[in-house]
Amino acid sequence: MSESDRERLRASFTEDAELYDQARPGYPPELFDDLAELTGIGPGCRVLEVGPGTGQATVPLAERGCHIVAVELGAEMAELARRNLARFPSVQVVTAAFEDWPPPAEPFDVVVSATAFHWIDPAVRMVRAADALRAGGALATVATHHIKGGSTDFFAEAQACYERFDPATPPDLRLRPAAEIPYDGDEPEPSGRFGTPIFRRHEWEQAYSTAEYLNLLRTYSNHRTLEPVALVGLLDCLTRLIENRYGGQITKRYLSELRVARRGPAHDAPDALKRRG
């Protein structure tokens, strides 16, 4: 993806913060248990969150007593996150691009980014995360994948709608089971400032009514950047499919992958910790 394409897609998230807050799901509680086990987050822990959106991952971190600085690019997203986190005096939401934001002098214990790190400039994201951490601190990123499961037949049939209205859709695209999704092994980058990453994975499902699912799709960057006529046609096509063949409700299966790497000399972790399902 080119830099201009990434910037255009990334900016699309900030256009409707209320819809994003309403439609986007959170994360399984077990993921935060893993995060605490692997990084030691807890009361008083200093956390830098990159790309909090409206606070889907920030709230569970704040509930564990963390002191959080959350850096959010979108002004509307940041304002809504402040409202969602108003009951936590130890959380500060900053409106800025992480690439340009000057970190405070006191380093953080953990840098967290949930379904957002891939939007940060790959030329600088690992270095800037390392610069913000104390020695031995951890970078924890969460990737979210839509996988095979739930209403499997619906998602297969829905490809006809996408092929008709979205020219970027590969022909005969099908969802893959979690076992076929590769682990996020592209980073840490060649600077070598992080050790071997540890992975934890969780599969879970979310049911959606027709309206709820369409609202979810309206928050995705590849949908938001479609031509308006194409987007209307796509959503109408999906509406008819859900209403006529699936009784107005479908279920989507997700894979949430937690990836934790510590700043400092690389030390291999036991295989059982590196990739535990």
Side-chain angles (χ1 to χ4, degrees), residues 120-162:
I120 307 301
D121 184 350
V124 301
R125 60 191 174 202
M126 298 299 287
V127 171
R128 289 190 60 81
D131 288 345
L133 284 166
R134 62 170 174 79
L139 169 62
T141 60
V142 179
T144 301
H145 303 275
H146 179 197
I147 61 173
K148 186 175 182 179
S151 302
T152 303
D153 291 343
F154 161 74
F155 291 107
E157 293 181 53
Q159 287 310 301
C161 297
Y162 281 92

Side-chain angles (χ1 to χ4, degrees), residues 11 46 70 77 81 111 122 139 142-143 147 159 162 164 210 219 238 252 263-264 266 274 277:
R46 283 179 49 79
M77 291 277 196
V111 173
L139 169 62
V142 179
I147 61 173
Q159 287 310 301
Y162 281 92
R164 178 180 176 187
T210 304
T219 71
L238 294 172
K252 185 171 183 175
R263 178 191 165 187
K274 287 181 187 175

Side-chain angles (χ1 to χ4, degrees), residues 227-247:
E227 291 295 328
V229 172
L231 179 59
V232 169
L234 173 62
L235 297 182
D236 284 347
C237 184
L238 294 172
T239 296
R240 290 193 297 272
L241 182 60
I242 299 171
E243 290 293 318
N244 295 337
R245 289 184 53 80
Y246 294 91

Side-chain angles (χ1 to χ4, degrees), residues 140-225:
T141 60
V142 179
T144 301
H145 303 275
H146 179 197
I147 61 173
K148 186 175 182 179
S151 302
T152 303
D153 291 343
F154 161 74
F155 291 107
E157 293 181 53
Q159 287 310 301
C161 297
Y162 281 92
E163 290 176 18
R164 178 180 176 187
F165 292 103
D166 181 1
T169 302
D172 300 318
L173 181 67
R174 293 295 181 268
L175 293 171
R176 294 182 290 171
E180 295 182 11
I181 303 297
Y183 283 79
D184 182 9
D186 293 339
E187 296 178 304
E189 41 66 73
S191 75
R193 297 182 67 183
F194 289 92
T196 303
I198 298 170
F199 295 89
R200 298 285 175 84
R201 285 182 156 191
H202 297 279
E203 297 180 47
W204 52 285
E205 294 186 346
Q206 177 73 46
Y208 295 95
S209 67
T210 304
E212 290 169 340
Y213 188 62
L214 296 187
N215 279 340
L216 176 69
L217 295 181
R218 290 186 180 100
T219 71
Y220 290 163
S221 59
N222 59 338
H223 290 67
R224 295 189 67 84
T225 54

